[in-house]
Amino acid sequence: KCRTGPLDIVFVIDSSRSVRPFEFETMRRFMMDIIGNLDVGPNATRVGVIQYSSQVQNIFSLKTFFTRADMERAINSIIPLAQGTMTGLAIQYAMNVAFTTQEGARPLHKRIPRIAIIVTDGRPQDRVTEVATQARNAGIEIYAVGIQRADMNSLRAMASPPLEEHVFLVESFELIQQFAKQFQDKLCGVDMCVEREHGCQHSCISTPGSFYCECNPGYRLNVDGKTCSPIDACADGRHGCQHHCVSVRGSYSCRCRPGYYLSHNKRSCTMIDYCSFGNHSCQHECVSIPNGHYCRCRSGFTLQPDSKSCRATDLCNGVDHGCEFKCVSTEGSYHCVCPEGQQLQADGKTCSKCGAGHVDLVMVIDGSKSVRPQNFELVKQFVNRIVDLLEVSPQGTRVGLVQYSSRVRTEFPLNKYHSADEIKKAVMDVEYMEKGTMTGLALKHMVEHSFSELEGARPRSHNIPRIGLVFTDGRSQDDISEWARRAKESGIVMFAVGVGKAVEEELRAIASEPVEQHFSYSADFTTMTHLVENFSLNICPEEGKGEMEIRSPCECEALVQFQTNTVAILQSLTEKNILWARSLAQMTARLEDLEKQIANKK
């Protein structure tokens, strides 16, 4: 039996079609003869077996069996694969799978030798040099045993150095059993820890033909490879102490900073809850800190000079709220409101009415297979929410829709429908394409066809803004840069909307300047509703409606609108003056209180 300590051995057996049945039987005997002389067990030598031809098959791994009888039964049940000779593939499997800790190999830091015994009768049909080098660099010692027709150059390319001790060529299958006894000596030499003066301070571990020293727990091996020094258990950073680690000869203990106590797990620290002592006198909330506590008021209240009591806060009066029209104070917060008929913009402060501007809008939506049917329905709902924001009519806003995947299809042009209800119904009837993602082809189609007067775009002389909205959920399979540039050069204001795996670089390339106002992104289809608000904010033109919408400032509607706006501004100024006066009265009252306190102290 081997007396050199534990080993992790994996047999890599050639079962290609060139190995005849009676020859494969001799391979079985070769493995069983070697296993029969090993001291096998979970803490001794572990054995695994894989066979290969054009594929690799795991017979049993290093963690499967720990008795010779179980191993022999498994070896006797092997059915040869009888295909090609992919030796490189087998070495790759041994390195990436067979010698992993998940399959039973001991961790590298235990320094258990990892030995691969490759037995083959032919020339590999794939490359072995590079993968064998990787396996050796990973700490696997490779023995290459060739039988009869084996290629010596391939054996030498696989084996570990020195080659004269790791490369063997057996003349015939009949001789391999005799060779097994000779090969056994390579694995099972003498116990070097017994035969030689090792000089190890703590423990000597024997390996084939050599030995190495190990230290007791709590110590590390010095650079001389023999003596041991106490380990600073805190130095490796794995102690888990939340605050301080105190090393004690191979072990450690945890300590906490002032104001904390050590938890039951002896590693984490819990802050002392000074508020639980019941003597804080805070009106609202008590907050513990490492060296004491402080009082805090609930939202909408301000802590008073005594650091304990609280008073309600009028944030509209006390902060620069920036509301364009009116600030409404609530407990602990505030919000801005707009006059009737106007909408609060995304900044939460300024007001606008989206329907005031008329545009020619073409939406280009992604119908590729990555979108998936249920998400494509959400995209259609997204399109219809945008339509709800617009004043659709032949003289107002016109809307067109294009879908793309591996090809491009105009679902309806700008001059097809004349009301929002017609457009929304047509959108819900759109059928999902479900193919590739040719975004560049879709941009080309939009520039060359969708904004032509033939498909309903109004002449440029009418000064109607042309807006293109591109929706995508992934990377384009073709180039987008040229047609994105042409679109913007032709006067189309481009918006890019991305969801999921959309590429930010492509979205920015599509979007008009300033880019931050013309592209949006959402991580999920179900959470992209906020993109509608971003789009509505930026799509509304701030100038006139085009030549057909120029109105005289003397018209009755214009005078009424001017009067309404003026009244709203005056109302806002009046409310601000009232708030200012109220604030002045509060400050006067506070000054009077302070004067009384000073007088009482005197």
Side-chain angles (χ1 to χ4, degrees):
K1 299 294 186 293
C2 281
R3 293 177 297 157
T4 57
L7 305 169
D8 286 342
I9 298 178
V10 174
F11 290 92
V12 183
I13 303 301
D14 181 355
S15 65
S16 59
R17 66 174 64 91
S18 63
V19 180
R20 287 166 289 190
F22 76 91
E23 294 173 338
F24 193 80
E25 293 305 315
T26 62
M27 286 190 179
R28 293 188 209 266
R29 293 305 316 164
F30 169 72
M31 288 187 285
M32 289 191 288
D33 286 345
I34 293 179
I35 293 172
N37 289 294
L38 297 173
D39 182 17
V40 298
N43 298 318
T45 294
R46 300 183 183 182
V47 179
V49 176
I50 62 177
Q51 67 164 335
Y52 73 93
S53 60
S54 296
Q55 57 183 319
V56 181
Q57 182 184 34
N58 180 47
I59 304 303
F60 58 87
S61 61
L62 292 167
K63 66 180 180 180
T64 306
F65 302 124
F66 297 113
T67 67
R68 284 185 293 277
D70 289 337
M71 295 177 186
E72 289 179 1
R73 278 194 293 270
I75 291 172
N76 281 324
S77 66
I78 298 175
I79 300 175
L81 298 173
Q83 298 172 356
T85 311
M86 304 295 285
T87 312
L89 181 65
I91 297 173
Q92 186 83 46
Y93 180 90
M95 176 176 61
N96 292 345
V97 180
F99 280 109
T100 61
T101 54
Q102 291 84 352
E103 291 296 303
R106 265 73 63 96
L108 288 173
H109 72 268
K110 290 185 176 291
R111 303 177 70 176
I112 305 297
R114 295 182 174 183
I115 297 174
I117 302 173
I118 303 173
V119 184
T120 179
D121 80 323
R123 182 190 300 273
Q125 294 175 341
D126 58 354
R127 296 183 178 181
V128 297
T129 302
E130 182 178 347
V131 69
T133 300
Q134 293 175 357
R136 295 193 299 268
N137 291 340
I140 301 172
E141 185 177 4
I142 300 177
Y143 287 88
V145 180
I147 305 174
Q148 201 167 299
R149 299 172 292 272
D151 177 55
M152 178 57 76
N153 289 333
S154 297
L155 298 177
R156 294 172 66 87
M158 292 185 285
S160 297
L163 297 180
E164 60 270 14
E165 295 183 9
H166 293 82
V167 176
F168 304 94
L169 184 61
V170 184
E171 294 180 358
S172 66
F173 281 91
E174 290 79 5
L175 299 175
I176 193 169
Q177 280 185 257
Q178 299 178 19
F179 167 73
K181 298 177 181 178
Q182 175 188 351
F183 189 78
Q184 182 71 35
D185 295 337
K186 296 291 181 182
L187 298 177
C188 304
V190 297
D191 189 339
M192 301 301 291
C193 290
V194 175
E195 301 293 331
R196 182 180 299 179
E197 180 62 36
H198 52 76
C200 297
Q201 182 179 352
H202 287 178
S203 303
C204 175
I205 307 298
S206 183
T207 61
S210 185
F211 68 91
Y212 63 90
C213 299
E214 276 193 352
C215 296
N216 295 335
Y219 292 81
R220 67 171 180 272
L221 195 65
N222 294 327
V223 292
D224 61 6
K226 297 180 182 293
T227 59
C228 302
S229 299
I231 294 174
D232 181 359
C234 295
D236 62 4
R238 294 184 296 179
H239 48 78
C241 296
Q242 184 177 355
H243 287 178
H244 302 299
C245 176
V246 180
S247 182
V248 183
R249 188 176 282 269
S251 185
Y252 66 90
S253 62
C254 299
R255 292 182 183 174
C256 297
R257 294 193 295 267
Y260 293 80
Y261 63 90
L262 197 63
S263 302
H264 293 298
N265 61 14
K266 302 301 182 183
R267 286 180 171 80
S268 60
C269 298
T270 303
M271 188 172 67
I272 298 173
D273 185 3
Y274 291 97
C275 292
S276 64
F277 299 162
N279 59 351
H280 52 77
S281 301
C282 296
Q283 181 180 352
H284 284 181
E285 299 174 4
C286 175
V287 181
S288 285
I289 56 177
N291 294 315
H293 73 278
Y294 68 91
C295 296
R296 182 173 62 191
C297 296
R298 292 192 296 270
S299 178
F301 293 82
T302 303
L303 191 66
Q304 296 305 296
D306 62 2
S307 298
K308 295 182 179 182
S309 58
C310 303
R311 177 179 293 178
T313 303
D314 182 1
L315 291 180
C316 284
N317 184 45
V319 300
D320 184 13
H321 52 77
C323 295
E324 178 183 343
F325 176 67
K326 183 179 180 181
C327 174
V328 177
S329 182
T330 58
E331 185 176 298
S333 184
Y334 70 93
H335 63 273
C336 300
V337 296
C338 292
E340 184 178 357
Q342 295 190 28
Q343 296 178 349
L344 192 67
Q345 297 198 53
D347 61 2
K349 299 179 183 296
T350 56
C351 305
S352 68
K353 185 176 183 300
C354 184
H358 294 160
V359 297
D360 285 345
L361 170 64
V362 175
M363 288 181 274
V364 183
I365 59 174
D366 186 348
S368 61
K369 60 183 178 183
S370 62
V371 174
R372 294 183 294 185
Q374 64 271 29
N375 290 333
F376 190 73
E377 294 302 311
L378 295 176
V379 173
K380 293 196 289 187
Q381 294 176 23
F382 172 82
V383 170
N384 280 346
R385 290 197 62 181
I386 293 176
V387 174
D388 285 334
L389 300 171
L390 308 172
E391 291 184 357
V392 179
S393 68
Q395 293 75 34
T397 292
R398 300 182 182 182
V399 178
L401 183 65
V402 173
Q403 184 185 178
Y404 74 95
S405 58
S406 298
R407 56 192 178 88
V408 184
R409 182 173 71 204
T410 297
E411 301 296 348
F412 52 85
L414 289 166
N415 56 5
K416 176 72 172 179
Y417 300 112
H418 306 304
S419 71
D421 289 339
E422 289 178 318
I423 292 174
K424 290 167 65 176
K425 182 180 183 303
V427 169
M428 298 310 296
D429 291 337
V430 170
E431 295 182 358
Y432 178 36
M433 282 182 162
E434 194 177 359
K435 289 187 179 179
T437 311
M438 305 294 283
T439 313
L441 184 65
L443 291 171
K444 180 177 184 294
H445 180 91
M446 180 194 72
V447 173
E448 293 182 342
H449 300 286
S450 301
F451 283 105
S452 66
E453 294 184 23
L454 182 64
E455 294 200 3
R458 283 163 284 193
R460 294 189 181 278
S461 59
H462 288 191
N463 195 29
I464 301 296
R466 295 183 174 185
I467 295 179
L469 169 64
V470 178
F471 178 95
T472 181
D473 84 317
R475 183 182 295 276
S476 176
Q477 295 173 341
D478 61 352
D479 180 59
I480 66 166
S481 57
E482 178 181 357
W483 286 101
R485 175 180 54 81
R486 289 196 186 185
K488 289 176 277 192
E489 288 178 352
S490 67
I492 303 172
V493 179
M494 296 298 298
F495 288 83
V497 177
V499 176
K501 296 182 179 179
V503 180
E504 181 176 347
E505 180 181 357
E506 292 186 357
L507 298 176
R508 288 179 173 273
I510 294 171
S512 293
E513 295 288 340
V515 173
E516 299 300 330
Q517 295 182 13
H518 292 81
F519 99 98
S520 301
Y521 173 79
S522 178
D524 187 74
F525 284 84
T526 59
T527 59
M528 63 183 182
T529 54
H530 70 280
L531 303 183
V532 177
E533 299 172 359
N534 294 346
F535 185 72
S536 66
L537 170 66
N538 293 302
I539 198 176
C540 300
E542 297 179 357
E543 304 298 333
K545 301 182 181 179
E547 72 170 22
M548 293 184 294
E549 294 293 326
I550 297 176
R551 299 168 58 184
S552 170
C554 296
E555 289 181 1
C556 181
E557 291 182 8
L559 290 173
V560 171
Q561 183 65 46
F562 174 78
Q563 182 181 11
T564 301
N565 292 342
T566 303
V567 170
I569 293 171
L570 290 173
Q571 182 181 353
S572 175
L573 291 173
T574 301
E575 290 178 353
K576 289 181 180 178
N577 287 335
I578 293 172
L579 291 173
W580 181 85
R582 185 182 301 165
S583 175
L584 182 60
Q586 291 174 350
M587 290 179 65
T588 302
R590 291 179 186 175
L591 288 173
E592 291 175 354
D593 289 340
L594 289 173
E595 289 175 356
K596 291 178 181 178
Q597 292 176 15
I598 293 171
N600 291 334
K601 289 182 179 180
K602 291 180 179 180

